[in-house]
Amino acid sequence: MLAVVFFVIGASVFGYYYLRYRGLVAERLAKGPLFAPVAQVYAAPQEVRPGQQLSATSIGAALRRAGYNTNPELGSYELRGNSILIKPGPQSYLAMDGATITSEDDQVQSITAENGAALSAYKLEPQLITALSEDKNRTKRRLVTYSQIPPNMVQAVLAIEDRRFFAHSGINYVRTAKCAVQDILAHRMNCGGSTLTQQLARGFFLSSEKTYSRKIAEVVITYQLEARFSKQQIFEMYANEINLGQRGSFGINGFGEAAQAYFGKDLRQLDLAECALLAGMIQRPNYFAPYRHPDRAMERRNVVLDSMVETGAITQEQADQAKAEPIRLAPPDADASEAPYFVDLVHDQIVQRLGDSDVTRSALRIYTSLDPELQRAAAAAIEAGMKNVDELVRRRYFSLNHKKGEKFSKDYIPDGHITYPQVALVALNPHTGQILALIGGRNYGDSQLDHAVAERPTGSIFKPFVFAAAYNTSLDGTYLGSGGVFTALTKINDDPQDFGTNGQIYMPGNFVRGEYPGMVTASDALAHSLNIATISLAHMVGYDNVAALARSAGIVNARGTPSVAIGTYNATPLEMAGAYTIFANNGVHLKPWVLASVRNPQGDIVADFAPEAKQILDPRAAFLTQSLLENVMAYGTGSTVRAHGFTAPAAGKTGTEHDSWFAGYSSNLLCVIWVGNDDYTDIKLQGADAAAPIWAEFMNRAIRIPQYSDMKTLGPVPNGVEVLRIDRATSLIADDSCPNNAFSAAFLVGAAPQGTCSHMGEDSQSLGSRIFGFFTGKTATPAAPPSDTEPADPTKHRNLLQKIFGTGKDKPKDETPQ
């Protein structure tokens, strides 16, 4: 009788929940597919050129990663010894004819079109970077079909999670009964035993709370799933739904996303050991996370392999071979593979351009500007460079908090609070504006604030715009002061001066206290980043003219005040990268861009985006300014880059204004580095010490990539400009009598100095004037102070002997900010 009562009660309860939840699956399916399509973000197509270090096999591997051969609509390829035949499909982004690429000794020898014509370059299908996150919880998944799941993956999951999956009707009654008894005796619900279908029912339709009512609802939904779908369909849904941990701030859902996140591979490329590791993580993804707990992950992997032997899925020999395999994980930094700051920028611009805030819930293919290989180089450069920055910060902290004479240890960890700086990197193609790599912070998981688009004072990387504005005046023959038209040898006063306006005093100093070399050449003023000389020049040019040029180059906050000359107005690293394109690209400003095209799943164009370009500076003025920037690298504050091993032709500028900057470019790559504190406190590190080494680290890595290895001499020299070697002592053209004291400078034709260092013209200096500067007001070139924009004490002035001979300099004071 008691059994009947329990049966009636149980049946009634089950009937209530069955009626309540029987329509839940149908309602959910009526809304559309269980997994909504998500927009996919693709990189820029890789360009292959003869001479590059690429083999036919590596090209084939890149095409396979892009989907060739597995998706014939996208394209196909065929390896033929040292050659590879490529044929894009109707859904290809490129929609171009096929080609044959021949390679010998891992070097591309030739590229031939289908009609037999020789090609100078050929673009490969873009690689998938990542999918946009699905929701506010930042969930990411890569959908796979059952046929795309490796058999080892299926068998590993069944062996450890549900061995009778293909035999039972959705419920393992024996295991469920045992768990019920255990939970009742323990007065808590802690026992496992759910089948894959039950796990799927719980993940899709129910909360994670552990209650008896939820367990009954889970059973009801399980029956409905088993009735509606085949076992293969249920496993496919499970494979796409299951949570497998966290990467940075993103949740990893499904085996497709996990394969990429943990191994950097397509799911179909996983071997037995890798399949077993993912299957083992299902039980407790965070506990068995391989990055944080590799020993736990390996132990769990081996348990799965033993289970597969028990089920007969693999042999003991196969299990032993897999157990001997180390865990080979993809680099843990998401910036190296998925470029999350870049992808966030893509999402923001897609919403802005297409006006659809729900763009992530569509199956769009978004083709972008990113170069994945260069992005990996950027991430590696940031990681290496910021170790140096952190040590500089610790050294400074140590010097301020320990007794003089105590020895600093490289492994010193300070007690208490210490602020470690943040970082941003932006790399462009200087001739197209294409954003090739972008990193917005040290670690995306710790902070999603994109410092690449955050405004900061630009410091001395702004100064080239002052000199460019000065060159503008020389194009129409306008004299600056009494010195004639502006050239690299124009003398500028670097003595302390009051630049105040409207009755306000403004007397900035140079970066190093006590360094006021008097009259200096324009070339030296920029090379050594002299504040006072730069403001003096801006005063002669007109502050409004300087600010107007800067605004036209994208530095929109610039205003016509004296301090504009030394970069006190804010701009983002991305804006500064765009602004520097005017020097690298013959005066044409290129707005940095990330979006190339948006296509639907069939490959049809939804929207194409054209780069924005505008001529804002005469090509001659751009080249003349570039020449000064090359001298910054040759003998000025940018020479740090050369000390770090980057020797290719380049132009650039350091910057320090609370933050540390370096902006520079080669013939094919422009990069801006920013380092600073989130709380806006002074980093107290010069651009030459903090940002420039990171720039050098990045460029040294970039030049080893085939696409960027051919860094050429900057140019060409425009009509109306000539480049000469100038003797430093006389400021005249260098000849054989003075080859070791010369530097290169560019001049408008007719504006160069007359005479050579050994045969002086009428305007040349006499020996007395070269030494004393009494007759012409010109002084010998001063010793180069390590300088940047930070102001100093304007009351300190060099004495007469110092100004004549450059000796007896005052010791630099501590670098205290204004």
Side-chain angles (χ1 to χ4, degrees):
M1 184 64 181
L2 187 61
V4 174
V5 172
F6 277 115
F7 176 79
V8 172
I9 294 173
S12 299
V13 171
F14 184 81
Y16 167 77
Y17 281 100
Y18 183 82
L19 292 172
R20 179 179 177 182
Y21 288 103
R22 69 178 178 177
L24 190 63
V25 175
E27 290 175 8
R28 176 62 184 84
L29 292 175
K31 297 178 180 178
L34 289 176
F35 299 102
V38 178
Q40 307 288 311
V41 180
Y42 291 84
Q46 177 185 349
E47 186 173 80
V48 179
R49 299 187 299 271
Q52 287 183 350
Q53 293 296 315
L54 286 171
S55 67
T57 302
S58 64
I59 293 172
L63 290 171
R64 185 169 184 83
R65 287 194 301 273
Y68 276 41
N69 286 4
T70 59
N71 181 0
E73 293 295 301
L74 195 61
S76 61
Y77 69 90
E78 180 183 347
L79 286 168
R80 298 175 177 176
N82 292 333
S83 296
I84 181 170
L85 172 62
I86 305 171
K87 184 62 179 175
Q91 292 184 11
S92 168
Y93 168 67
L94 300 168
M96 59 167 43
D97 293 333
T100 299
I101 301 176
T102 302
S103 181
E104 290 183 13
D105 298 326
D106 293 340
Q107 186 178 68
V108 176
Q109 299 298 317
S110 64
I111 306 173
T112 307
E114 286 182 307
N115 62 6
L119 301 176
S120 60
Y122 188 83
K123 291 185 177 180
L124 305 181
E125 193 71 29
Q127 301 287 323
L128 176 66
I129 304 171
T130 188
L132 296 180
S133 56
E134 295 180 359
D135 48 37
K136 62 182 180 181
N137 296 324
R138 303 178 75 79
T139 300
K140 299 187 78 170
R141 78 179 84 238
R142 298 186 185 214
L143 296 180
V144 295
T145 63
Y146 184 79
S147 63
Q148 293 172 330
I149 304 173
N152 280 334
M153 189 78 254
V154 176
Q155 294 299 327
V157 173
L158 298 184
I160 199 66
E161 290 292 325
D162 189 356
R163 295 185 181 184
R164 297 185 63 251
F165 171 73
F166 283 100
H168 62 59
S169 60
I171 306 293
N172 187 330
Y173 296 104
V174 174
R175 181 61 179 155
T176 299
K178 288 181 179 179
C179 281
V181 172
Q182 290 179 25
D183 288 344
I184 291 171
L185 294 176
H187 301 290
R188 61 178 179 173
M189 297 190 67
N190 196 41
C191 181
S194 297
T195 65
L196 296 189
T197 316
Q198 286 176 276
Q199 293 179 44
L200 181 63
R202 182 166 61 244
F204 261 125
F205 303 103
L206 301 168
S207 67
S208 59
E209 63 177 345
K210 293 185 176 182
T211 62
Y212 292 108
S213 61
R214 194 221 63 184
K215 193 70 177 178
I216 296 172
E218 177 186 301
V219 172
V220 172
I221 295 171
T222 296
Y223 284 142
Q224 294 185 59
L225 290 173
E226 289 282 343
R228 284 177 172 269
F229 302 104
S230 68
K231 287 291 187 179
Q232 288 79 6
Q233 289 174 314
I234 291 173
F235 193 95
E236 179 183 306
M237 290 187 284
Y238 178 86
N240 286 307
E241 164 61 21
I242 192 68
N243 176 262
L244 288 165
Q246 196 87 6
R247 178 167 180 157
S249 65
F250 293 104
I252 301 169
N253 278 34
F255 294 129
E257 185 68 31
Q260 186 64 42
Y262 293 119
F263 303 113
K265 295 181 178 181
D266 184 275
L267 179 60
R268 290 165 289 191
Q269 297 175 316
L270 298 190
D271 63 19
L272 173 59
E274 291 164 341
C275 290
L277 187 143
L278 293 186
M281 291 178 64
I282 293 172
Q283 186 187 61
R284 299 171 68 185
N286 292 325
Y287 184 81
F288 294 120
Y291 287 116
R292 294 195 300 270
H293 310 296
D295 293 338
R296 295 178 189 172
M298 180 174 285
E299 183 180 358
R300 178 66 174 170
R301 179 197 70 178
N302 294 343
V303 169
V304 174
L305 292 169
D306 288 337
S307 296
M308 294 178 74
V309 173
E310 293 175 9
T311 63
I314 60 173
T315 65
Q316 186 63 56
E317 182 182 3
Q318 288 174 308
D320 291 341
Q321 290 176 350
K323 287 180 182 179
E325 183 179 310
I327 297 178
R328 299 184 183 92
L329 299 173
D333 185 0
D335 274 328
S337 58
E338 295 193 348
Y341 293 104
F342 178 87
V343 172
D344 282 353
L345 185 61
V346 167
H347 176 269
D348 292 343
Q349 291 204 8
I350 279 287
V351 171
Q352 179 183 351
R353 296 287 191 91
L354 299 185
D356 183 2
S357 60
D358 200 30
V359 69
T360 60
R361 307 293 292 179
S362 62
L364 296 177
R365 297 178 185 174
I366 303 171
Y367 293 95
T368 72
S369 61
L370 190 77
D371 181 334
E373 196 168 2
L374 196 66
Q375 177 72 18
R376 287 189 287 272
I382 290 293
E383 182 179 3
M386 290 307 288
K387 289 179 181 177
N388 170 64
V389 172
D390 288 350
E391 182 178 337
L392 292 175
V393 171
R394 288 193 293 270
R395 282 182 180 276
R396 187 173 185 87
Y397 184 92
F398 184 89
S399 67
L400 293 174
N401 292 277
H402 291 76
K403 294 179 180 178
K404 191 173 182 179
E406 287 189 62
K407 188 175 180 180
F408 174 82
S409 169
K410 191 172 183 178
D411 300 322
Y412 166 70
I413 304 295
D415 296 327
H417 176 71
I418 185 171
T419 300
Y420 287 105
Q422 271 290 355
V423 66
L425 178 152
V426 178
L428 305 179
N429 180 324
H431 309 300
T432 66
Q434 174 184 353
I435 300 177
L436 299 165
L438 184 144
I439 291 179
R442 299 180 68 130
N443 187 299
Y444 187 81
D446 294 339
S447 172
Q448 288 83 59
L449 173 62
D450 188 351
H451 297 85
V453 293
E455 291 188 345
R456 305 291 293 224
T458 61
S460 289
I461 66 168
F462 181 90
K463 287 178 180 175
F465 295 92
V466 176
F467 291 78
Y471 276 124
N472 264 342
T473 68
S474 67
L475 296 178
D476 59 7
T478 300
Y479 280 22
L480 287 183
S482 59
V485 297
F486 179 74
T487 75
L489 301 179
T490 294
K491 293 289 185 170
I492 310 172
N493 186 5
D494 194 60
D495 283 333
Q497 304 166 56
D498 182 5
F499 296 101
T501 58
N502 300 323
Q504 300 293 317
I505 296 175
Y506 179 54
M507 297 185 66
N510 286 331
F511 183 75
V512 177
R513 285 178 178 270
E515 292 289 355
Y516 300 104
M519 300 299 290
V520 296
T521 64
S523 181
D524 281 344
L526 186 61
H528 304 305
S529 204
L530 301 177
N531 286 349
I532 301 174
T534 304
I535 301 175
S536 297
L537 180 60
H539 176 72
M540 289 188 284
V541 172
Y543 303 128
D544 286 335
N545 293 330
V546 172
L549 174 62
R551 288 195 298 272
S552 66
I555 309 173
V556 295
N557 292 323
R559 295 294 180 267
T561 66
S563 68
V564 70
I566 55 175
T568 57
Y569 291 100
N570 288 351
T572 71
L574 187 57
E575 288 170 342
M576 292 308 298
Y580 264 64
T581 61
I582 71 169
F583 307 128
N585 199 48
N586 300 313
V588 176
H589 175 252
L590 296 162
K591 187 174 181 179
W593 59 271
V594 297
L595 295 176
S597 182
V598 178
R599 310 285 176 89
N600 65 20
Q602 290 72 44
D604 300 324
I605 296 174
V606 175
D608 280 340
F609 304 99
E612 298 179 31
K614 185 178 181 181
Q615 185 87 44
I616 66 166
L617 189 64
D618 188 286
R620 293 169 295 173
F623 185 88
L624 293 166
T625 308
Q626 176 178 269
S627 175
L628 297 182
L629 291 172
E630 289 183 89
N631 284 335
V632 173
M633 304 282 275
Y635 65 85
T637 58
S639 60
T640 302
V641 167
R642 304 308 190 191
H644 282 79
F646 182 72
T647 59
K653 185 70 187 74
T654 56
T656 309
E657 174 63 43
H658 288 291
D659 306 337
S660 175
W661 293 81
F662 192 88
Y665 56 91
S666 67
S667 62
N668 55 13
L669 196 56
L670 189 158
C671 180
V672 170
I673 304 291
W674 168 88
V675 181
N677 294 326
D678 272 340
D679 61 4
Y680 276 80
T681 55
D682 192 341
I683 190 176
K684 297 185 182 297
L685 295 175
Q686 296 184 52
D689 296 330
I694 300 176
W695 191 92
E697 182 77 28
F698 171 69
M699 296 295 282
N700 281 330
R701 292 174 184 272
I703 202 171
R704 295 195 291 268
I705 299 173
Q707 299 94 295
Y708 308 100
S709 59
D710 53 344
M711 294 184 180
K712 302 179 176 65
T713 301
L714 301 181
V717 182
N719 291 333
V721 173
E722 58 183 337
V723 179
L724 302 171
R725 296 288 292 171
I726 300 298
D727 173 52
R728 183 169 296 282
T730 63
S731 290
L732 296 174
I733 299 172
D735 57 23
D736 292 341
S737 68
C738 51
N740 298 320
N741 190 31
F743 65 97
S744 292
F747 299 88
L748 289 173
V749 172
Q754 302 300 308
T756 67
C757 58
S758 59
H759 297 85
M760 301 180 188
E762 293 181 0
D763 295 331
S764 303
Q765 297 168 294
S766 68
L767 179 63
S769 65
R770 281 159 49 194
I771 298 176
F772 298 105
F774 288 158
F775 302 107
T776 64
K778 297 181 179 180
T779 63
T781 302
S787 56
D788 246 312
T789 66
E790 192 160 339
D793 183 358
T795 60
K796 186 75 174 177
H797 205 75
R798 298 179 69 189
N799 62 39
L800 180 61
L801 289 177
Q802 288 175 310
K803 293 190 71 173
I804 296 174
F805 298 108
T807 60
K809 292 183 179 180
D810 300 303
K811 290 184 178 180
K813 298 287 195 299
D814 191 29
E815 300 167 9
T816 306
Q818 184 181 31

